[in-house]
Amino acid sequence: MTLHAISAPRLFDGVRYHNNAALVWQGSQIKQVLPIEQLPESIPCQHYTDSIICPGFIDIQVNGGGGIMLNSDTSPAAMQTICEAHRQFGTAYLLPTLISATPSQLAKALQATEQALNDNIAGVLGVHLEGPWLNPKKKGAHDASLFYAPEIESLEGLPWLKQGKVLVTCAAELMDTNVLRWLDQQGVILSCGHSNAQFDQLTEQKMASVSGFTHLYNAMSPFEGRSPGTVGRALLTDHAWCSVITDGIHVHPQSVLLAHRIKPEGKLLIVTDAMASVGSVDNKFELDGQTIELIDGKLVNNEGSLAGAHIGMDESVANVIRWGIEESEAIKMASTYPAQAMRCDDLGQLTPGYRAAATVLSNAYQSQAVLVDGIVY
Ligand SMILES: [Zn+2]
């Protein structure tokens, strides 16, 4: 198989920087990072001026893109459109995300994901089921009439994936501990979100099965002196990662910096929570029969509630750098850390043997190209 390469004045491999370096891969696997002058002339190389090559961005919460919502079109073709839309903004892999839906739609989303993985649709890492096991008091833009507390028997009936990753966001305070444990044992990655828990309701037994918290600060009981809430539990649970939306609208920049100061290294990661409008000229789309509209950069439903974000990964990374987080750390929050959170041990670093996945950013942090499984887009 032929070797291929890309090069740039700067390369960050997820651990350290290399100047004037080339990334070499064969098939879908990284072979080497080496100085450009040592690259054999026989290897075709695309050079990007004024750019940085970094590990491919991974977005674990993407409801839509390219004019399509996964909730409206729960198919492998829709997943492909969503991945293509987000590649323009630097995302190599993502979890198409289903907002609370009926059990039959959940089954359909799982089947469509299995099919997308079988068909090797570039960029699909698995699926994120955001609900419907959520707290109606923190419903956000979800349809609370779809919420319920599941039993193991009903979950056994779902076509869980044979490959790929499944992330489930649930309100852990409303879930039976045995149900959480059962999901964890199936390999489902559990994240607490749309939660109205009192601190003590998120018990140690429950947290033992919970790996993360979904969009920290948004749609969860807040931190207060007398009542630390879900936010307090999220910040104080060292083993759990927290995803955060960094569009500057959902969360104040200082709140992002506060979480970054409190969470152990690697446990704060960026998600977009993007909707159909990303990578599309349409500023309006439908969700559960309600119209979501883009107004002044904000996506709002008829009630005026925020309904997801209108942002891509590259801008999300640029924002946190602007707010004061180091460039290398910001990049890891969008690549290395989500890879670790999703237990992908061959993603998140530009290291020999890892999957050939990279994002090329301009010096202004705009995506120039994305490498996915050995193909440059
Ligand atoms: Zn949400």
Side-chain angles (χ1 to χ4, degrees):
M1 248 188 290
T2 336
L3 295 165
H4 296 272
I6 52 175
S7 61
R10 296 195 305 140
L11 183 149
F12 176 66
D13 66 11
V15 179
R16 64 187 192 93
Y17 282 91
H18 307 253
N19 286 329
N20 298 313
L23 174 74
V24 182
W25 71 91
Q26 187 175 37
S28 60
Q29 208 178 54
I30 294 174
K31 282 285 165 200
Q32 224 179 345
V33 171
L34 79 180
I36 294 175
E37 64 269 19
Q38 288 176 22
L39 186 72
E41 274 185 20
S42 58
I43 301 177
C45 181
Q46 168 80 45
H47 184 73
Y48 296 91
T49 50
D50 303 323
S51 297
I52 178 168
I53 299 172
C54 57
F57 292 163
I58 300 169
D59 190 346
I60 63 171
Q61 189 161 7
V62 182
N63 311 293
I68 286 181
M69 290 292 290
L70 186 66
N71 278 66
S72 310
D73 183 352
T74 314
S75 69
M79 293 180 178
Q80 181 164 15
T81 302
I82 292 168
C83 288
E84 284 167 1
H86 283 269
R87 272 204 290 273
Q88 299 169 56
F89 307 102
T91 301
Y93 299 96
L94 56 79
L95 293 180
T97 302
L98 190 76
I99 294 167
S100 293
T102 61
S104 68
Q105 242 186 317
L106 296 181
K108 201 175 165 193
L110 288 163
Q111 281 155 354
T113 308
E114 190 81 57
Q115 188 63 48
L117 292 164
N118 280 333
D119 295 349
N120 292 316
I121 291 179
V124 177
L125 200 59
V127 71
H128 181 169
L129 304 176
E130 194 191 22
W133 312 308
L134 307 177
N135 194 319
K137 294 212 168 70
K138 294 290 174 188
K139 68 187 174 83
H142 291 238
D143 178 357
S145 72
L146 296 164
F147 294 178
Y148 65 101
E151 285 167 13
I152 292 174
E153 292 70 45
S154 66
L155 294 174
E156 278 172 341
L158 286 171
W160 298 100
L161 300 188
K162 298 180 194 73
Q163 54 186 327
K165 304 294 175 182
V166 182
L167 174 61
V168 161
T169 292
C170 60
E173 73 274 20
L174 301 182
M175 303 280 285
D176 190 89
T177 307
N178 291 327
V179 172
L180 292 172
R181 196 177 299 130
W182 184 86
L183 283 164
D184 185 29
Q185 283 163 354
Q186 309 309 304
V188 169
I189 301 169
L190 286 168
S191 181
C192 180
H194 289 265
S195 153
N196 196 41
Q198 297 289 308
F199 190 87
D200 294 335
Q201 286 181 289
L202 299 177
T203 58
E204 293 223 347
Q205 291 98 309
K206 287 193 173 185
M207 291 315 300
S209 304
V210 172
S211 300
F213 287 83
T214 296
H215 48 52
L216 180 68
Y217 299 118
N218 296 118
M220 56 174 68
S221 42
F223 177 86
E224 293 175 84
R226 288 192 194 89
S227 174
T230 302
V231 169
R233 181 56 91 186
L235 292 174
L236 285 171
T237 303
D238 283 352
H239 78 259
W241 46 264
C242 297
S243 67
V244 67
I245 305 169
T246 62
D247 60 353
I249 293 166
H250 281 74
V251 179
H252 193 285
Q254 294 300 328
S255 302
V256 174
L257 296 180
L258 178 72
H260 188 254
R261 194 179 282 197
I262 294 170
K263 291 301 292 178
E265 192 188 344
K267 297 297 186 186
L268 186 68
L269 51 99
I270 294 171
V271 290
T272 61
D273 200 9
M275 301 296 241
S277 58
V278 171
S280 167
V281 290
D282 287 340
N283 284 343
K284 270 188 200 167
F285 57 91
E286 296 287 311
L287 172 64
D288 299 330
Q290 51 177 341
T291 302
I292 312 286
E293 202 171 350
L294 180 67
I295 302 168
D296 298 331
K298 287 183 196 179
L299 289 171
V300 288
N301 67 9
N302 336 356
E303 296 166 357
S305 279
L306 279 178
H310 180 71
I311 193 166
M313 262 304 203
D314 54 0
E315 193 182 341
S316 302
V317 167
N319 282 346
V320 301
I321 294 170
R322 192 157 47 81
W323 299 338
I325 289 179
E326 264 184 57
E327 181 193 75
S328 58
E329 175 68 1
I331 289 170
K332 287 198 276 188
M333 287 168 73
S335 57
T336 316
Y337 302 158
Q340 289 165 352
M342 292 302 108
R343 304 167 192 163
C344 297
D345 51 15
D346 60 351
L347 286 175
Q349 281 188 41
L350 303 179
T351 303
Y354 276 57
R355 266 155 92 173
T359 296
V360 184
L361 297 172
S362 72
N363 287 340
Y365 306 113
Q366 273 188 332
S367 178
Q368 305 296 296
V370 178
L371 174 69
V372 185
D373 297 333
I375 296 173
V376 179
Y377 295 89

